Amino acid sequence: MSATATRNVGIPAGSLAVKPPAHPTYDLKGVIQLALSEDAGDRGDVTCKATIPVEMEVEAHFLAKEDGIVAGIALAEMVFNEVDPSLKVEWYRKDGDTVHKGLQFGKVHGRAHSIVVAERVVLNFMQRMSGIATLTKAMADAAHPAYILETRKTAPGLRLVLIGGGQNHRMGLFDMVMIKDNHISIAGGISNALKSVDLYLEQNNLQMGVEVETRTLEEVNQVLHYASTTKTSLSRIMLDNMVVPLSNGDVDISMLKEAVDLIAGRFETEASGNVTLETVYKIGQSGVTYISSGALTHSVKALDISLKIDTELALEVGKRTKRA
């Protein structure tokens, strides 16, 4: 998970594992400022003010409490810089690298007050991003040769999946035509919806990807018939809920494979629905081009990471609780 804007948001180039795609409105610095402001309220950190001398300096270390893929390093640097540009951050891993339980993979040095104020916002971003990157890597590996896609089912403002081998399905509503079930119902059928999209793109001189959702083999055939008789901008067919869960925990992909065979490479294909880490390998063997999973962003478990000044005590406690 990551996010960016078309403007310069000040991410250190060396920290970026993958260059984010541009977005016309997204302001990552604004998201960081909002997160810090949410924490500070109208008084600031009253505990820091009460317990920590303003000019005291310390060194705090990032500690992984479980195995996974680290992400959010570039964003963490932005948060520290926003709180206090004098803070010095050093990393022993980069975004997308593997970390193991008990590993110290970075440190920050400077005013104690500033480090503690930034701590929770930094960790909130990094833990969520690292959890998504960890699951994405596992699912991307299992899905091969299909590509894994995230969806828009995520916390607002935290959209991109860039680390771990996944891709964004689309950035938003503006950069790809995605004809879903409600559009089809309102338009009066798949052919009507496709015809309207083709006319709209032509009239507005727009070129972009066009995907249509199908739920039955009959709908797949309707799409193929339309495309065989009409010039169309259609580029991808979504095969929605054609993966059927079985009572033993397995899935039946026979309908999905039949749909892929019907399409026969004329369009990209995308499987959606009932995609989990346990089922994605079998789905990937169906011949689909892409597999999309909302679970990457809406149901992910955060990776346990902490930022500790007394790392020896933190490791001692971590070993006692099996978290280091």
Side-chain angles (χ1 to χ4, degrees):
M1 181 278 304
S2 178
T4 189
T6 53
R7 68 202 79 178
N8 179 13
V9 293
I11 299 179
S15 300
L16 286 171
V18 182
K19 184 180 179 182
H23 191 289
T25 63
Y26 201 93
D27 180 5
L28 184 51
K29 187 173 182 179
V31 171
I32 290 170
Q33 289 172 338
L34 180 62
L36 291 168
S37 176
E38 180 182 45
D39 249 358
D42 60 351
R43 289 194 177 92
D45 187 337
V46 292
T47 313
C48 270
K49 290 178 179 179
T51 63
I52 300 175
V54 174
E55 297 304 324
M56 178 179 283
E57 293 196 356
V58 296
E59 186 172 89
H61 295 260
F62 283 92
L63 180 66
K65 292 188 172 180
E66 57 185 323
D67 300 346
I69 305 296
V70 69
I73 283 173
L75 191 145
E77 291 191 22
M78 289 183 66
V79 176
F80 284 127
N81 186 69
E82 187 68 27
V83 171
D84 184 348
S86 72
L87 293 175
K88 294 178 175 59
V89 190
E90 183 180 346
W91 302 100
Y92 318 128
R93 294 291 187 274
K94 64 180 182 299
D95 279 330
D97 282 352
T98 299
V99 294
H100 61 264
K101 185 167 68 171
L103 178 70
Q104 295 180 42
F105 62 90
K107 65 181 180 180
V108 55
H109 175 86
R111 292 176 61 222
H113 191 287
S114 299
I115 291 172
V116 176
V117 165
E119 174 190 2
R120 181 43 52 195
V121 171
V122 165
L123 291 177
N124 281 349
F125 280 127
M126 287 191 72
Q127 288 179 313
R128 177 175 168 82
M129 292 171 71
S130 297
I132 291 172
T134 300
L135 180 58
T136 299
K137 177 68 165 61
M139 292 189 74
D141 287 349
H144 183 79
Y147 298 98
I148 198 76
L149 304 175
E150 58 78 53
T151 72
R152 290 171 54 244
K153 299 173 182 177
T154 185
L158 303 174
R159 178 160 293 181
L160 304 190
V161 171
L162 300 171
I163 299 167
Q167 302 175 24
N168 279 87
H169 188 283
R170 52 178 172 159
M171 287 292 296
L173 300 174
F174 62 91
D175 61 331
M176 177 182 181
V177 175
M178 176 69 234
I179 309 170
K180 292 183 67 65
D181 51 357
N182 284 338
H183 303 110
I184 292 166
S185 296
I186 294 167
I190 281 185
S191 296
N192 287 345
L194 285 166
K195 189 181 301 181
S196 297
V197 165
D198 285 329
L199 182 61
Y200 175 83
L201 293 178
E202 183 181 355
Q203 289 176 341
N204 290 275
N205 195 29
L206 291 173
Q207 291 186 337
M208 60 178 62
V210 176
E211 180 171 9
V212 64
E213 178 182 299
T214 60
R215 295 156 291 181
T216 64
L217 295 177
E218 181 183 357
E219 288 186 333
V220 172
N221 278 314
Q222 288 174 24
V223 171
L224 295 175
H225 176 73
Y226 173 86
S228 69
T229 57
T230 310
K231 183 181 177 182
T232 180
S233 295
L234 180 67
S235 53
R236 189 185 306 173
I237 300 175
M238 177 183 284
L239 308 170
D240 189 49
N241 286 313
M242 294 189 187
V243 175
V244 181
L246 301 175
S247 58
N248 63 358
D250 198 2
V251 287
D252 180 358
I253 62 167
S254 57
M255 183 179 180
L256 178 66
K257 290 182 71 172
E258 188 173 348
V260 170
D261 291 342
L262 280 172
I263 296 164
R266 282 172 280 182
F267 299 96
E268 295 177 337
T269 53
E270 177 185 331
S272 178
N274 296 307
V275 178
T276 67
L277 186 55
E278 291 70 35
T279 64
V280 71
Y281 172 79
K282 191 169 185 178
I283 297 169
Q285 302 308 300
S286 67
V288 291
T289 320
Y290 298 101
I291 303 171
S292 56
S293 173
L296 288 176
T297 46
H298 69 56
S299 300
V300 73
K301 175 184 174 291
L303 192 72
D304 198 357
I305 297 170
S306 62
L307 181 63
K308 295 297 183 183
I309 292 168
D310 190 340
T311 51
E312 287 188 14
L313 180 57
L315 285 168
E316 181 184 330
V317 173
K319 289 174 183 175
R320 186 174 71 219
T321 58
K322 313 292 188 191
R323 295 173 67 209

